[in-house]
Amino acid sequence: MLTNSSPVLSDGTKISELIYPETREVQMRVLSDPEIYELEMEKIFGRTWVMLGHESEIPEPNDFIVRDMGSDSVIVARDKNGEIHVTLNVCPHRGMRVALTDCGNATIHKCIYHGWAFRPNGDFIGSPVKRECMHGTILEESELGLKKARSVSYGGLIFATWNIDGPSFDEFLGDAKWYYDMLFLRSDKGMEVLGPPQRFIVNANWKTAGEQSAADGFHTLTLHRWLGEVGNYSKKGPAEEESDEPDLTPEMYGVEVSSPHGHALRCIDLARKIRRLTGLEPDDLTVQQKLDALPPAGMTKDMVAQLSNNLTEDQLKVLTSMPPQVGGMFPNILFGFVYIPQPDGSVVGSMTMHTYIPRGPNKLEFCNWIFAEKDAPEELREKMLKQTIQLFGTSGMVEQDDSDTWPHMTLSAKGAMGRHMTLKYQAVYETGKPEGWPGPGIVNEGFTKDDTQWHWWLYWNELMNAE
């Protein structure tokens, strides 16, 4: 359990005074204040597990990528034995960045300033002119390596933390892992990236995107309303044969999973999609029949047999009824495993993940990975890549909507009056989990509410006030 010791800002305000648990409000000042941002780099990005990339980005020995853990640049490298290491991209001699390119292959990482050299695991090799011992003798050579983070690979995703003695990655995920496993650990060979991630800068505080990623379902109905009006994405009302009016409301119903650690998932009913594809009633179909009718997003019918090798019967029941399709991992991850309708009535899955990397109180870097299963057919991979870019890429139709709102929120939070306004999370579930729901966690069913995002803020508050 974290010990509370609320930091005090320069004007005397305690961080704990910026969030109102009784009315579920957050003061908008948190979206722009430079002091709060600096505390977040230490207390959140310096203490939690942060996603940096995917193993398939560094497939060969000595491959590396350069990524960020909050405001710190890090080197993510695979050594000659295939193990992955995450080290601070700061030379311990005079503070120069060691790796100056985004990616590459190097048996030795050498600082250009004074030539100190390091192995892919961060260990110090030496400095030039060995006989002169220009690194001195005051410290042992074992103390002169790059600072090492604690890292883990989960379904090929690379996570790291500076909190060396803190909770394990599994403890950090908690009950949410049961649901994430259905996405990231479902197949025999796992996923791989379809090229390097897309990246662009948004003039907004990272939390504007982070809190939306905590399964904010309702904004789909309003901000993305065109999904119910345009082309293949158009939806009709519940009585489809009687109404030509587009309606996304049915997509707002389902199951939502919250976490004390701010993770969130939206599990959306597949019944309507299965009815459209088969003309049959889903309740009359077995789990296998539903999988054959509509394989999980990103899989083909031929790949469905792998699911039983990796998932439990209870997970398969959820995967064929109310699968997790959209959600996030605290603090700055959004993922989407969604079904994209095609003109011929079929469905193509999309597998994508965003991180929102802090670049200052008023700036974030949007980083977008697109995935496919390693054994997915080439034709499917091409369709997934094209359609995911069109929807969720840096110029995607959905992301154009989202990335337009975040700068406005950040600007509002800088106003003399606006900074004292509040973000409100007052639409509260009163339902609980569906009868017979097999999964763990804080589970509610019905029309999407604010609970998942509120739990995101509660964990933010816990970390910001912890010693």
Side-chain angles (χ1 to χ4, degrees):
M1 175 66 76
L2 299 174
T3 303
N4 281 342
S5 179
S6 187
V8 180
L9 302 176
S10 58
D11 67 354
T13 303
K14 291 183 177 181
I15 292 291
S16 59
E17 295 172 349
L18 300 175
I19 188 166
Y20 314 146
E22 290 187 4
T23 57
R24 296 179 35 142
E25 296 174 85
V26 180
Q27 200 170 119
M28 283 187 63
R29 174 179 178 178
V30 302
L31 299 182
S32 65
D33 192 299
E35 287 185 86
I36 293 174
Y37 175 85
E38 293 302 327
L39 283 169
E40 289 169 341
M41 296 305 99
E42 175 187 347
K43 288 177 168 288
I44 293 180
F45 288 91
R47 304 292 291 174
T48 58
W49 289 90
V50 179
M51 204 276 273
L52 300 174
H54 193 270
E55 285 189 8
S56 58
E57 295 182 79
I58 47 173
E60 301 298 327
N62 303 315
D63 280 353
F64 72 91
I65 51 178
V66 174
R67 294 288 156 78
D68 296 274
M69 293 174 64
S71 54
D72 289 308
S73 174
V74 295
I75 303 170
V76 184
R78 188 184 293 273
D79 67 20
K80 64 181 181 180
N81 298 317
E83 293 191 22
I84 293 174
H85 307 270
V86 177
T87 54
L88 185 66
N89 190 18
V90 175
C91 182
H93 181 219
R94 298 286 170 81
M96 176 64 186
R97 286 198 172 189
V98 176
L100 300 178
T101 57
D102 285 342
C103 59
N105 182 283
T107 56
I108 297 173
H109 293 273
K110 187 176 180 180
C111 177
I112 65 168
Y113 194 7
H114 294 96
W116 282 32
F118 309 89
R119 293 187 174 87
N121 68 357
D123 287 350
F124 178 70
I125 297 175
S127 60
V129 195
K130 184 176 182 180
R131 66 179 179 274
E132 297 297 342
C133 195
M134 291 304 294
H135 54 274
T137 58
I138 295 175
L139 297 177
E140 297 291 333
E141 290 190 6
S142 61
E143 300 177 81
L144 299 178
L146 301 177
K147 182 176 177 61
K148 299 181 181 182
R150 181 182 173 199
S151 62
V152 68
S153 178
Y154 171 66
L157 300 170
I158 302 167
F159 290 82
T161 181
W162 298 117
N163 192 2
I164 305 301
D165 299 318
S168 69
F169 182 69
D170 283 359
E171 290 171 330
F172 174 62
L173 290 188
D175 287 339
K177 184 178 185 298
W178 192 88
Y179 302 92
Y180 294 142
D181 286 355
M182 291 192 287
L183 305 176
F184 303 113
L185 301 181
R186 65 188 185 179
S187 62
D188 293 343
K189 296 182 179 180
M191 302 185 304
E192 62 184 359
V193 294
L194 297 180
Q198 300 176 304
R199 302 158 78 172
F200 75 109
I201 296 295
V202 182
N203 293 320
N205 185 277
W206 72 272
K207 295 187 296 301
T208 59
E211 63 92 38
Q212 184 195 91
S213 300
D216 176 4
F218 189 58
H219 84 280
T220 304
L221 188 65
T222 50
L223 186 63
H224 307 311
R225 61 174 295 173
W226 60 267
L227 283 166
E229 300 171 344
V230 179
N232 305 329
Y233 312 110
S234 63
K235 305 289 191 301
K236 298 178 180 179
E240 293 181 23
E241 70 284 356
E242 299 176 6
S243 173
D244 291 326
E245 290 297 318
D247 185 13
L248 284 176
T249 302
E251 300 290 342
M252 300 297 102
Y253 290 91
V255 169
E256 293 188 349
V257 182
S258 296
S259 164
H261 288 166
H263 313 309
L265 302 104
R266 290 197 69 224
C267 304
I268 303 172
D269 192 358
L270 289 186
R272 293 186 309 118
K273 291 182 176 66
I274 293 175
R275 288 191 193 99
R276 284 175 176 165
L277 289 170
T278 67
L280 301 173
E281 180 56 44
D283 290 344
D284 297 334
L285 303 179
T286 65
V287 167
Q288 187 60 48
Q289 288 172 327
K290 286 189 279 189
L291 286 172
D292 290 339
L294 184 60
M299 300 188 84
T300 64
K301 186 181 294 188
D302 292 339
M303 300 164 65
V304 162
Q306 299 179 28
L307 296 170
S308 59
N309 298 336
N310 300 289
L311 303 178
T312 67
E313 289 186 10
D314 283 341
Q315 287 174 315
L316 289 175
K317 289 177 183 176
V318 171
L319 198 62
T320 55
S321 58
M322 291 271 189
Q325 295 184 44
V326 183
M329 295 183 188
F330 188 92
N332 66 331
I333 297 173
L334 177 140
F335 62 83
F337 283 64
V338 299
Y339 302 83
I340 303 176
Q342 303 299 296
D344 63 1
S346 63
V347 172
V348 169
S350 170
M351 298 156 57
T352 186
M353 179 172 284
H354 308 329
T355 59
Y356 306 108
I357 302 166
R359 294 292 187 216
N362 307 313
K363 187 178 292 186
L364 66 87
E365 182 178 28
F366 180 114
C367 195
N368 174 50
W369 288 265
I370 301 171
F371 297 102
E373 298 288 352
K374 288 183 178 178
D375 51 359
E378 187 61 31
E379 182 182 2
L380 175 60
R381 296 159 70 91
E382 291 178 1
K383 286 183 179 179
M384 291 174 64
L385 178 61
K386 178 180 179 180
Q387 301 219 343
T388 304
I389 289 174
Q390 289 176 342
L391 276 180
F392 305 112
T394 54
S395 60
M397 293 182 287
V398 169
E399 301 312 330
Q400 288 184 50
D401 294 338
D402 289 328
S403 60
D404 184 52
T405 63
W406 304 330
H408 291 292
M409 295 168 67
T410 303
L411 286 172
S412 297
K414 296 172 71 174
M417 292 295 105
R419 67 202 304 258
H420 299 294
M421 298 296 289
T422 59
L423 309 167
K424 297 174 179 62
Y425 302 88
Q426 297 167 341
V428 184
Y429 272 118
E430 298 177 352
T431 53
K433 64 178 63 177
E435 183 177 353
W437 183 262
I442 306 168
V443 181
N444 288 281
E445 69 170 329
F447 195 87
T448 181
K449 295 292 192 294
D450 294 335
D451 296 61
T452 53
Q453 289 179 276
W454 179 239
H455 283 99
W456 189 95
W457 279 110
L458 289 179
Y459 192 51
W460 177 90
N461 188 50
E462 180 181 341
L463 291 173
M464 291 291 284
N465 289 290
E467 290 186 348

